[in-house]
Amino acid sequence: MISEARPYDFEAIVVGGGPSGATAAADLASSGRRVLLIDRADRIKPCGGAIPPRLLADFDVPDSLLTARISAADIVAPSGRRVDMRVQGGYVGMVDRDLFDPWLRERAVGEGAELAIGRVIDVVRDPAGGAVVRMRPAGSERSVTYRTRLLIGADGANSLVRREAFGPDRRPPYVFAYHEIVRSPGAGTADFDPAVCQVHYDARVSPDFYGWVFPHGDATSIGVGSAVKGFDLKAATRTLRRSCGLEDAETIRREGAPLPLKPMSRWDDGHSVLLAGDAAGIVAPASGEGIWYAMTSGRLAAEAGESFLATGDARALAQARRRFMADHGRIFMVLGFMQSFWYRSDKRRERFVAICSDPDVQRLTWSSYLDKRIQHRDPLAHVRVFFKDVGQMVRLAVQRT
């Protein structure tokens, strides 16, 4: 038990040094708070690495961290039909998480946060206020204990902080993602363009999600995701590599992890704990996009945490989720519907790819991705897309009868 007389070691401890945690730590430290950022050693999350260009401006990230600028997405149906979706009004940036995440952590340190590499063992609510975090530093057999006023859990889909604060049954639904980083082939390789992402909708690749081929300059991420128990993600990745002519490409590393696809209904415990990033379930359904949303949630967590630290009112912690859902809840709802309806069978996936060929769909898709808003600039385009979407659903219903 921690004595009530013992002072806080830190005003805030952030567990998890990915985009959400590193952003939260940097923002809190820059405001003058004493912050400890705890991250596990040699942790690289499997991730396609796609970011909208606005992330660079929103979070003051140098474009030197981009490994590629993608100009189009090649959408592939189960039949092999391809739809070329040219990025309209910008590009899709690519980052490598083994370089991007350390840069974010180093920036947090530059702002004044302390960085501890190791594994959190447990988290306990302190009756005197705040939380107690016990961790084992990397390379040590002994644990250390810290007391903090604010604890931010940004430690991934299997968040220990979430489990300790909310119980083991409180977790978002997720797919399991697996990818292989391979050496990008040279120019002229069949079915590979270093400026084009491939997205494969095919039950052989994934029965309920999709497969991807995302070029990163010298390296390329090839991966799949699925929530179906027993589905062989590694075999599906081999199938994808063969279909793309990358079967013999040099494999640099292999990674797998759960990918949450629905925001938690609550991110704070009403006391001193706040979740962010994957721990809060903040990954876009249908697309699996997470980096920009993770950093946005980290910033909102820092702002809510700052308000809590300044006032002592734990109700301030709820601001993070409330503000995030006000801005992005609607697009998460739309994407969730898309995934639940269109990803259920190859017949529906075939129809979905057909919809992707529509100019209105492409324009609204890219403008929403780049701006991170459901677009309202052309209401007639929304009407046209709605009726085309309904038409595809009706055709599917007629075919079943």
Side-chain angles (χ1 to χ4, degrees):
M1 175 67 66
I2 301 298
S3 168
E4 293 187 15
R6 175 179 168 178
Y8 293 104
D9 299 291
F10 295 94
E11 292 178 281
I13 291 179
V14 181
V15 180
S20 59
T23 299
D27 285 3
L28 283 167
S30 68
S31 67
R33 298 296 180 180
R34 301 191 320 275
V35 180
L36 175 66
L37 175 61
I38 301 175
D39 194 57
R40 297 183 66 172
D42 302 321
R43 175 202 55 80
I44 304 175
K45 177 188 173 183
C47 176
I51 63 169
R54 68 167 290 179
L55 180 147
L56 304 179
D58 289 351
F59 298 99
D60 195 23
V61 172
D63 61 8
S64 60
L65 286 175
L66 294 179
T67 57
R69 288 174 169 82
I70 300 301
S71 61
D74 189 12
I75 313 298
V76 186
S79 66
R81 176 186 179 181
R82 293 175 177 263
V83 171
D84 182 40
M85 292 185 66
R86 292 281 147 185
V87 181
Q88 302 174 22
Y91 62 89
V92 177
M94 288 290 165
V95 296
D96 283 343
R97 296 291 296 273
D98 59 337
L99 301 175
F100 186 71
D101 290 17
W103 185 91
L104 293 175
R105 291 191 288 271
E106 289 168 9
R107 178 167 67 175
V109 172
E111 294 289 352
E114 293 186 32
L115 176 63
I117 302 299
R119 183 172 63 88
V120 173
I121 300 171
D122 57 38
V123 174
V124 179
R125 177 183 289 192
D126 188 347
V132 179
V133 178
R134 187 163 62 101
M135 69 163 291
R136 181 172 292 118
S140 173
E141 296 298 322
R142 302 182 63 182
S143 64
V144 294
T145 301
Y146 300 108
R147 184 169 179 242
T148 182
R149 290 184 62 196
L150 169 68
L151 175 61
I152 296 179
D155 48 338
N158 288 324
S159 170
L160 181 145
V161 174
R162 185 186 66 227
R163 187 166 63 249
E164 296 289 340
F166 295 96
D169 297 330
R170 292 283 300 279
R171 63 178 186 175
Y174 61 86
V175 300
F176 198 86
Y178 171 82
H179 79 159
E180 298 177 357
I181 300 294
V182 306
R183 194 76 61 194
S184 296
T189 302
D191 200 27
F192 181 83
D193 186 330
V196 176
C197 286
Q198 295 182 32
V199 184
H200 292 253
Y201 295 101
D202 188 331
R204 292 168 297 181
V205 172
S206 172
D208 58 334
F209 204 56
Y210 65 83
W212 67 85
V213 180
F214 287 179
H216 286 223
D218 292 339
T220 294
S221 166
I222 306 175
V224 299
S226 177
V228 176
K229 291 184 179 180
F231 183 74
D232 193 333
L233 298 174
K234 293 183 178 179
T237 301
R238 289 194 296 271
T239 297
L240 187 55
R241 289 182 65 163
R242 282 195 300 271
S243 69
C244 299
L246 298 176
E247 183 178 16
D248 297 326
E250 177 191 353
T251 301
I252 300 172
R253 65 178 189 269
R254 300 176 174 89
E255 298 153 353
L259 190 69
L261 293 176
K262 185 177 182 180
M264 295 278 291
S265 60
R266 184 165 184 173
W267 298 356
D268 72 284
D269 70 344
H271 181 262
S272 58
V273 177
L274 180 60
L275 304 177
D278 283 12
I282 309 170
V283 175
S287 69
E289 182 194 356
I291 297 176
W292 185 87
Y293 289 114
M295 295 179 73
T296 296
S297 73
R299 175 147 294 169
L300 292 174
E303 292 173 358
E306 174 62 31
S307 179
F308 163 67
L309 293 172
T311 65
D313 188 349
R315 291 174 297 181
L317 297 175
Q319 295 174 8
R321 185 185 188 278
R322 185 161 54 245
R323 292 175 59 192
F324 183 92
M325 296 306 291
D327 285 342
H328 309 294
R330 187 177 178 190
I331 197 165
F332 270 56
M333 179 183 68
V334 171
L335 292 173
F337 169 78
M338 284 176 52
Q339 179 177 336
S340 64
F341 184 86
W342 292 114
Y343 293 8
R344 292 176 65 178
S345 69
D346 273 353
K347 182 180 291 186
R348 292 192 182 189
R349 281 185 277 266
E350 196 73 38
R351 292 288 190 184
F352 176 71
V353 173
I355 291 174
C356 291
S357 65
D358 183 87
D360 289 325
V361 170
Q362 294 198 13
R363 181 156 46 84
L364 291 175
T365 296
W366 287 124
S367 59
S368 295
Y369 173 81
L370 296 172
D371 295 339
K372 287 292 169 281
R373 295 286 189 277
I374 294 179
Q375 297 300 306
H376 300 287
R377 296 173 186 170
D378 187 353
L380 290 179
H382 283 275
V383 172
R384 290 193 295 270
V385 168
F386 172 77
F387 281 109
K388 292 168 186 175
D389 204 35
V390 170
Q392 294 285 358
M393 294 179 188
V394 169
R395 278 192 285 274
L396 283 168
V398 170
Q399 289 175 1
R400 286 200 301 268
T401 60

